[in-house]
């Protein structure tokens, strides 16, 4: 009798069991065939319901989500118009923010400790209700004084600062509780640039002291020194002019000599 190879036996056994529908626990390669053919049958069943029923969760969410209500449409339709208005409104605001008064309002934070946030005074003299305009009818003298502080005036032998004919009496250095006004300019040991000193002086004159930029008395000063369009302010900020060269750099100052410098000096006499 011929020996039948084992794998052929297994195959015929598998065929038989396939024909009779019986499953077999035999795990030979031949037996894998019915299992393998069963798999595609199962797979065929699976995709059918999937394609019909299942939307992915995000599609379901999009389909069931609430739509934009009709009344919101008017608001949405106006958005472009609103955006235009917004852009138009932005332009003048930028200009104001860059001007000396806006910068000075911030810089005044370093003065407020002694002079009060509104200029009502304290360790330093009052800087409100027009008092400082009496002391310094010329902004140039105030710029000088704030730049150097009062001790430089003492050292230079100056008996007074500001207007010698000041209404209510001229101010002498160290005449306010004997305390000095500290120097502010960078080159004499202070922390402020010349553009910042101009800005804070403009803030004190036109905001805390309340001088009216539209008045006949102050209009010219305001436009020359403190308006956002001030060429002097722009030049100081850009570094193209300094307190010491300002009179040479700006023709309109040469007409009225006595422009600001960085050394203590007697007030402009006119
Ligand atoms: C440490 C306190 C102190 C600080 C900070 C200070 N000051 Fe003064 N300030 C004084 C004192 C004190 C006087 C009076 C000086 C004197 O009599 O010599 C004075 C005087 C003045 C005057 C003269 C007022 C007048 O009518 O006579 C001005 C203007 C002035 N300060 C502006 C400023 C500005 C601007 C700043 C900030 C950049 C500032 N001060 C920061 C203490 C201070």
């Amino acid at each position: 009798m011929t020996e039948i190879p084992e794998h052929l036996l297994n195959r015929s056994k598998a065929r038989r069991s396939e024909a009779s529908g019986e499953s077999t626990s035999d795990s030979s390669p031949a037996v894998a065939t019915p299992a393998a053919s069963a798999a595609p049958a199962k797979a065929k069943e699976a995709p059918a319901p999937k394609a019909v029923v299942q939307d992915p969760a995000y599609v379901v969410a999009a389909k069931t989500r609430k739509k934009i209500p009709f009344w919101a449409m008017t608001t949405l339709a106006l958005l472009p118009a609103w955006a235009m208005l917004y852009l138009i409104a932005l332009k003048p605001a930028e200009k104001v923010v860059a001007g000396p008064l806006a910068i000075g309002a911030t810089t005044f934070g370093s003065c407020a400790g002694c002079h009060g946030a509104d200029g009502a005074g304290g360790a330093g003299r009052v800087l409100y209700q027009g008092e400082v305009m009496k002391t310094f009818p010329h902004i140039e003298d105030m710029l000088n004084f704030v730049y150097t502080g009062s001790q430089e005036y003492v050292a230079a032998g100056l008996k007074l600062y500001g207007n010698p004919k000041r209404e209510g009496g001229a101010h002498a250095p160290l005449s306010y509780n004997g305390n000095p006004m500290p120097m502010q300019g960078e080159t004499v040991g202070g922390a402020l640039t010349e553009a910042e000193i101009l800005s804070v002086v403009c803030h004190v004159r036109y905001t805390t002291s309340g001088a009216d930029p539209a008045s006949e008395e102050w209009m010219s000063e305001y436009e020359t020194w403190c308006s956002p369009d001030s060429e002097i302010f722009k030049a100081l900020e850009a570094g193209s002019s300094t307190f010491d060269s300002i009179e040479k750099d700006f023709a309109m100052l040469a007409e009225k000599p006595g422009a600001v410098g960085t050394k203590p000096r007697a007030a402009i006499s006119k």
Side-chain angles (χ1 to χ4, degrees):
M1 185 178 153
T2 329
E3 277 268 342
I4 302 169
E6 178 77 5
H7 71 278
L8 291 179
L9 281 175
N10 280 339
R11 192 195 291 169
S12 75
K13 192 176 167 195
R15 290 278 151 75
R16 252 180 284 123
S17 65
E18 194 182 336
S20 67
E22 279 170 30
S23 72
T24 168
S25 59
D26 197 324
S27 61
S28 70
V31 183
T33 313
S37 66
K42 254 186 215 162
K44 238 180 251 166
E45 274 167 39
K50 216 188 237 172
V52 180
V53 191
Q54 303 297 34
D55 276 340
Y58 59 88
V59 175
V60 174
K63 282 183 179 167
T64 55
R65 189 177 296 141
K66 274 191 185 167
K67 306 294 182 292
I68 300 168
F70 72 93
W71 50 261
M73 285 307 186
T74 39
T75 314
L76 291 177
L78 285 174
L79 272 180
W82 175 83
M84 285 296 293
L85 285 177
Y86 181 74
L87 287 177
I88 292 164
L90 267 185
K91 275 184 189 162
E94 273 171 4
K95 238 181 171 183
V96 170
V97 165
L101 289 185
I103 294 171
T106 308
T107 310
F108 193 71
S110 60
C111 324
C114 291
H115 290 284
D118 58 352
R125 280 188 181 273
V126 300
L127 299 178
Y128 71 172
Q129 295 175 351
E131 287 302 310
V132 88
M133 308 304 278
K134 293 180 195 163
T135 313
F136 300 106
H138 300 288
I139 189 173
E140 297 92 328
D141 293 329
M142 183 164 166
L143 290 168
N144 253 67
F145 180 78
V146 171
Y147 193 95
T148 65
S150 45
Q151 255 156 352
E152 294 282 310
Y153 280 68
V154 176
L158 291 161
K159 299 274 182 288
L160 300 171
Y161 65 85
N163 182 11
K165 295 179 208 140
R166 185 188 189 282
E167 181 194 328
H171 284 175
L174 308 187
S175 64
Y176 183 76
N177 297 334
N179 292 324
M181 159 72 195
M183 70 287 258
Q184 303 295 324
E186 278 179 329
T187 61
V188 291
L192 302 184
T193 64
E194 293 181 0
E196 284 170 334
I197 288 179
L198 173 58
S199 299
V200 79
V201 163
C202 288
H203 171 79
V204 168
R205 293 173 81 81
Y206 291 97
T207 307
T208 64
S209 292
D212 179 4
S215 68
E216 209 183 308
E217 191 178 9
W218 302 117
M219 188 186 291
S220 157
E221 174 190 295
Y222 176 79
E223 270 162 23
T224 306
W225 297 91
C226 298
S227 95
D229 297 324
S230 161
E231 293 300 326
I232 291 179
F233 168 73
K234 287 182 199 164
L236 290 175
E237 215 182 25
S240 57
S241 185
T242 65
F243 280 180
D244 287 323
S245 74
I246 224 166
E247 199 167 327
K248 278 188 266 119
D249 297 341
F250 290 91
M252 74 273 209
L253 297 181
E255 290 165 21
K256 308 187 252 172
V260 61
T262 54
K263 299 274 179 293
R265 53 171 201 164
I268 303 168
S269 54
K270 62 182 163 65

